[in-house]
Amino acid sequence: MAMMVKAVLVAVVAVAALAQLTVAVDHQVGGSGATWATSGGYDSWSGKQKFSPGDSLVFSYSPAHDVVEVSKADYDACTASKVVARYTGGKTTVKLTTAGKRYFICSITGHCDAGMKLQVNVAAATAAPTKPRGQRSVAPVAAPAPAPEGSATDEQLPTVSSPTGTPTPSSPSGSGAASIGASAAVALAMGMAVALAM
């Protein structure tokens, strides 16, 4: 039975882990088929996207451009005085590893001012709400409704007695009832183990 409980717990943990996984997305900067160029409009595009940790930005550009990750102040001023990272070569993939804002510009003179700038907001990963360890969830129970007027009271209910004879087993050996009881006990134990593990 211990092996079965362990198997159930492993299955529950595996399903929970799979539920937490998200698929990373490669975002082509500017949209499908777009290139990093002075035509701009990148902040409008990024405002319509949902960026999550694990996603990537894919920049495609000509050798006349670069991609420079900068501070917020440099982004606003279209300067590259505080470079976080610089990329060249025509195709760059930047992994978005943490939540927060990231800022990119082309550092070639006049290109940022012409629209080659991008800010992205990487949303924090969301987790399922958890309850403090050791606390159990309890469903609310409705209070009993008062008896409708004119219904039977305890004084009016008939008296019922229990049978006094020995019950007859449903099968000649009685093993059917015993095996159902054992199965129910195993199911109950597994359910309790899963509930306690959560």
Side-chain angles (χ1 to χ4, degrees), residues 12 18 34 41 46 64 72 76 81 83 85 94 105 110 127 140 151 161 164 167 181:
V12 167
L18 286 173
S46 71
K72 167 76 166 127
D76 290 339
S81 62
V83 173
V94 177
I105 65 169
S151 64
S161 62
T164 56

Side-chain angles (χ1 to χ4, degrees), residues 11-195:
V12 167
V13 169
V15 168
L18 286 173
Q20 293 296 322
L21 291 177
T22 58
V23 177
V25 176
D26 290 338
H27 298 273
Q28 177 67 41
V29 172
S32 179
T35 60
W36 180 238
T38 56
S39 56
Y42 300 107
D43 286 343
S44 174
W45 167 81
S46 71
K48 298 173 187 166
Q49 308 301 309
K50 182 179 186 301
F51 301 102
S52 300
D55 288 357
S56 296
L57 295 174
V58 179
F59 292 85
S60 297
Y61 51 98
S62 78
H65 301 297
D66 63 5
V67 177
V68 181
E69 186 170 359
V70 295
S71 67
K72 167 76 166 127
D74 280 3
Y75 172 84
D76 290 339
C78 275
T79 62
S81 62
K82 294 181 181 153
V83 173
V84 175
R86 181 181 307 272
Y87 307 97
T88 59
K91 185 151 185 157
T92 298
T93 300
V94 177
K95 189 84 163 172
L96 304 173
T97 56
T98 58
K101 292 196 176 193
R102 307 270 298 264
Y103 305 93
F104 303 90
I105 65 169
C106 177
S107 68
I108 307 302
T109 303
H111 290 194
C112 177
D113 290 321
M116 286 186 78
K117 59 192 293 186
L118 167 69
Q119 71 174 329
V120 298
N121 187 16
V122 182
T126 57
T130 59
K131 60 183 179 235
R133 189 173 184 94
Q135 291 187 358
R136 307 257 186 265
S137 297
V138 179
V141 177
E149 202 172 307
S151 64
T153 63
D154 286 342
E155 295 167 359
Q156 298 170 332
L157 294 175
T159 304
V160 178
S161 62
S162 298
T164 56
T166 306
T168 307
S170 59
S171 65
S173 67
S175 63
S179 66
I180 290 172
S183 297
V186 169
L188 179 62
M190 287 175 48
M192 289 174 63
V194 169

